[in-house]
Amino acid sequence: MGSADPLGRNIRRFSRTERAAHWWLAATVGAMTATGAILYFPALAQLLDRPTAKHLHLWSAIALPVGWLILTLVGDRRSLGRTLRDADRFDHDDVTWLKGGPRRLLDRRGEPPQGRLNAGQKLNLALTLGLLGVLGISGTLLWLGERDTAYRFAGSVHVHDLATLALTFLVCGHLYLALFHPATQGALTGVTTGYVDRDWARAHHAKWVEAEERAEAARDSGAAEQPLEPALPATLGEQLPER
Amino acid sequence: MDSDRGYPLGRAAFLGTLAAGVAGIAITSRFSGAVTDAMNGVANAIPVVNQIAPTSGWRIYAVDPPMPTYDASTYRLKIGGRVGKPVELSLADLAAMPTVEQVSDFHCVTGWTVNQVRWRGVRPQTLIELVQPAADIRQVTFKSLEGPYVDGLKPAQLVLPDTLIATHMDGVPLTRAHGAPVRLVIPAMYGYKSVKWVSEIRFDQTESAGYWEQRGYDIDAWVGRSNGLG
């Protein structure tokens, strides 16, 4: 895990399974957002008939955990477990990072050294999963309520609306930081190719790069007879080989 | 490794969000009206949002889009079935009939409410006197220009004092989204009974389930006393 290319320019941040889990989440949440918007906004109500929009909405909701389950069964589940453990644990530097408040998201000057995931990314993952759980619970109640009135609560629709609003804000912030914000754009290749620029990583995820480099050094000195890493193209845009 | 030390704040944030969601369902169930008002109030205050979000409180549900259109010169409201004098009313015919105004609340079975809607239209009693239905009527069926949509009222429900065959809402002719040119309004029941884009009113000897009633909703959709809501 976490090997660098021979030129040392890039460093591996996410496994193929982690990236597949990310893009499956993006695709299914995108589908739920689109169909949900058709169900919610009067101006969009005409794009699709209500029963069809509802079916697509529900099937995307089912597809999300089913896809993740399949990934844990056939994919590299150790890498998924590593990400969950990383996101769960906040060390002193993470807490200091969070104490910088919302401004820290945009201004990284003087941030304490961060691991593979910074404290904001950890919080983003935890809140995203929590909100998905809330949407799953309230959505299930809405679905059950149509079949058995014992499950019908007026609050289900309010919480489903509010959680959608919260998740929308979270995703918009995530997209801004990933696509547009200069300091954090460097992370984007991590979730497309799996690799990020080593210098960028050293600046923003110092503790992770140090740990990786210690592991690399130990591998290089201790196991010279091990097969070499597959050669990597110098450009990040090309598909990189998987291990 | 980071994971070997530190605080498990990730799971705390995850579980906290879940707990807040579950508590939120319980709490907002008890204060549903206030929550609706608050959310509409916030959305109304934000310029772009109040243009696109259902901030008037209305959410528009179409079961077979696009929403139906009609030609005002050829539109006829057919009233038939077991009646002495079936009629086909043009919009001019309807406009010439005695109309009434009422202000009533509109409740959707999915939990939203629009308070104080100003309707104008014709009382069902006026149409009953016009077509003279038979004595053995058990249901009055409203067919929509929107293909599959249909729903019906029992005769006693049709003549409730605030049941209305509406042509205007909030001072203007019904918009397409709100059921132009003619819709039923029965404030005592959830919105799925208030058929939009009405093309035909039929006096029937037999009862039949409406569009949503075939999909599990109560036929007698009394607000607060049906569909598990109390």
Side-chain angles (χ1 to χ4, degrees), chain A:
Chain A
M1 296 272 85
S3 65
D5 60 342
L7 298 174
R9 193 173 296 172
N10 302 318
I11 182 166
R12 186 113 187 272
R13 194 177 188 204
F14 294 120
S15 72
R16 177 149 57 183
T17 304
E18 286 169 294
R19 284 175 282 144
H22 172 269
W23 291 113
W24 187 244
L25 173 68
T28 51
V29 167
M32 281 185 270
T33 307
T35 50
I38 289 171
L39 293 171
Y40 185 79
F41 292 110
L44 303 178
Q46 302 222 58
L47 293 180
L48 212 56
D49 73 275
R50 196 165 173 81
T52 304
K54 222 159 147 178
H55 273 123
L56 291 174
H57 193 75
L58 294 174
W59 282 110
S60 330
I62 292 165
L64 171 56
V66 169
W68 276 355
L69 185 67
I70 292 170
L71 276 176
T72 56
L73 292 176
V74 305
D76 174 9
R77 61 181 151 270
R78 283 180 53 212
S79 69
L80 295 177
R82 174 187 61 160
T83 291
L84 287 178
R85 280 193 303 278
D86 280 359
D88 182 32
R89 289 280 156 184
F90 285 64
D91 62 16
H92 281 296
D93 288 330
D94 289 329
V95 174
T96 309
W97 196 99
L98 286 179
K99 282 179 180 162
R103 263 185 49 209
R104 179 84 77 193
L105 289 171
L106 299 175
D107 184 4
R108 304 296 169 93
R109 281 171 302 183
E111 67 178 348
Q114 296 290 289
R116 187 174 64 113
L117 304 176
N118 70 35
Q121 290 162 335
K122 294 177 181 187
L123 199 58
N124 180 52
L125 179 57
L127 292 177
T128 300
L129 292 177
L131 287 170
L132 287 174
V134 171
L135 288 164
I137 292 167
S138 55
T140 303
L141 286 174
L142 288 170
W143 183 82
L144 284 173
E146 288 183 351
R147 278 145 193 84
D148 183 344
T149 54
Y151 296 102
R152 190 165 291 186
F153 309 106
S156 304
V157 73
H158 296 311
V159 167
H160 207 72
D161 287 356
L162 285 168
T164 301
L165 190 66
L167 188 59
T168 303
F169 277 118
L170 212 54
V171 170
C172 286
H174 174 65
L175 288 175
Y176 172 74
L177 291 175
L179 298 174
F180 301 113
H181 194 61
T184 48
Q185 265 178 339
L188 187 59
T189 55
V191 81
T192 53
T193 66
Y195 290 79
V196 290
D197 181 83
R198 186 178 289 263
D199 291 334
W200 174 86
R202 195 171 278 119
H204 293 277
H205 301 274
K207 284 192 291 191
W208 168 56
V209 176
E210 282 163 21
E212 287 295 317
E213 287 179 346
R214 275 198 302 278
E216 281 164 23
R219 264 202 306 275
D220 291 346
S221 61
E225 66 273 22
Q226 273 195 347
L228 288 169
E229 299 292 334
L232 293 170
T235 56
L236 281 169
E238 292 171 52
Q239 189 58 47
L240 295 158
E242 294 289 340
R243 296 203 301 149

Side-chain angles (χ1 to χ4, degrees), chain B residues 16-27:
Chain B
T17 307
L18 272 189
V22 172
I25 292 172
I27 293 165

Side-chain angles (χ1 to χ4, degrees), chain B residues 104-198:
Chain B
S104 50
D105 297 346
F106 188 97
H107 300 280
C108 177
V109 70
T110 61
W112 54 266
T113 286
V114 183
N115 292 319
Q116 306 277 301
V117 190
R118 193 151 55 88
W119 302 103
R120 191 163 95 213
V122 179
R123 284 283 175 231
Q125 194 62 43
T126 310
L127 300 178
I128 290 171
E129 285 159 12
L130 185 68
V131 300
Q132 298 170 9
D136 59 356
I137 300 304
R138 292 182 60 194
Q139 176 171 295
V140 184
T141 306
F142 290 78
K143 291 183 70 174
S144 174
L145 288 166
E146 190 186 30
Y149 205 91
V150 65
D151 210 314
L153 300 181
K154 296 187 172 67
Q157 298 164 354
L158 182 68
V159 297
L160 286 171
D162 57 353
T163 302
L164 190 70
I165 313 296
T167 55
H168 290 65
M169 187 184 110
D170 292 332
V172 294
L174 286 171
T175 59
R176 191 176 173 205
H178 287 291
V182 174
R183 73 172 298 169
L184 175 63
V185 174
I186 172 163
M189 293 193 169
Y190 289 116
Y192 63 88
K193 302 297 285 189
S194 291
V195 179
K196 300 201 282 192
W197 308 297
V198 174

